[in-house]
Amino acid sequence: MALKLSAILLAACAALLALAAPLLAGDPDMLQDICVADYKSLQGPLRVNGFPCKLEANVTADDFFFGGLAKAADVYTGNPMGSSVTSADVESLPGLNTLGVSMARTDYAPWGGATPPHAHPRATEILFVVEGTLEVGFVTTASRLLARTVGKGEVFVFPRGLVHFQRSVGAAPAVAISAFNSQLPGTQAVAAALFGAAPAVPSDVLARAFQIDGGVVENVKSKFTPK
């Protein structure tokens, strides 16, 4: 089973990266063959986008390798959402710097494991279900929900910047692979952004927005640890 899943993941990675080709990238075009992220130079020269480049002489094949998507994450221990995301973006795979693509694996617990409403401000997401069944959807700027069930081997697209969610609706754990047209798509969870921001969003603003009592807002805020 593990070998079969690895083969499926490998095929999915190849297909999704092809779909997220650099010509469709949301990031600026690269100006050289490679620009491996130099994490040690972040205090150095001013950078406008992305990371400074390593000297090419210091680049190795390992700069273009990441094995993190092969392993299932723990979605049960201390995990109220029942889901876990493993990202293969420029922060974990330095060779992605300036290439305009990234990927992620999400594991879901059966019957309700969810990625709560969130948005990626810098990328469109294309999601491929490897195992299980997901209910997915996004909300347009006209407040219209477009949602459906997506099964094993099927694909769904979340347009850039729109709030969306995924939820497992099957009796077996679910696994999905996502590709993004950005080396660092960013993830902004709706609830955490509103109720866990630092400094805090004023409670009276949220009370008016949600048309609820201020005490309810304070109670919700108490469940989020400001970052």
Side-chain angles (χ1 to χ4, degrees), residues 137-147 159-165:
F138 64 87
V139 181
T140 70
T141 56
S143 297
R144 182 185 178 195
L145 172 64
L146 297 174
R160 174 179 176 174
L162 295 185
V163 173
H164 58 282
F165 67 89

Side-chain angles (χ1 to χ4, degrees), residues 173-212:
V175 180
I177 297 290
S178 297
F180 304 91
N181 60 332
S182 172
Q183 67 182 32
L184 195 63
T187 299
Q188 187 171 40
V190 174
L194 293 175
F195 296 99
V201 177
S203 294
D204 63 314
V205 171
L206 295 175
R208 288 177 181 272
F210 288 96
Q211 300 181 42
I212 56 178

Side-chain angles (χ1 to χ4, degrees), residues 17-188:
L17 280 176
L19 289 172
L23 289 177
L24 301 177
D27 294 349
D29 289 336
M30 57 192 294
L31 300 177
Q32 61 278 326
D33 288 343
I34 59 176
C35 177
V36 173
D38 187 351
Y39 300 139
K40 296 181 180 179
S41 296
L42 296 184
Q43 303 303 320
L46 176 68
R47 58 192 179 98
V48 178
N49 270 315
F51 293 86
C53 306
K54 271 188 179 181
L55 291 175
E56 190 165 339
N58 296 333
V59 171
T60 71
D62 286 342
D63 290 320
F64 299 89
F65 173 81
F66 178 71
L69 301 189
K71 183 180 179 181
D74 181 4
V75 295
Y76 303 103
T77 305
N79 190 329
M81 293 298 111
S83 70
S84 182
V85 178
T86 304
S87 297
D89 57 31
V90 71
E91 293 187 334
S92 57
L93 182 52
L96 285 177
N97 198 38
T98 75
L99 297 185
V101 293
S102 60
M103 302 185 73
R105 168 182 174 147
T106 307
D107 292 276
Y108 303 86
W111 296 120
T115 304
H118 63 284
H120 303 294
R122 297 184 289 274
T124 291
E125 174 183 358
I126 181 167
L127 177 141
F128 175 80
V129 178
V130 179
E131 295 289 347
T133 304
L134 297 177
E135 178 186 10
V136 305
F138 64 87
V139 181
T140 70
T141 56
S143 297
R144 182 185 178 195
L145 172 64
L146 297 174
R148 61 160 294 147
T149 300
V150 182
K152 179 178 178 179
E154 297 179 330
V155 167
F156 195 83
V157 176
F158 303 103
R160 174 179 176 174
L162 295 185
V163 173
H164 58 282
F165 67 89
Q166 301 99 25
R167 178 178 63 167
S168 172
V169 292
V175 180
I177 297 290
S178 297
F180 304 91
N181 60 332
S182 172
Q183 67 182 32
L184 195 63
T187 299
Q188 187 171 40

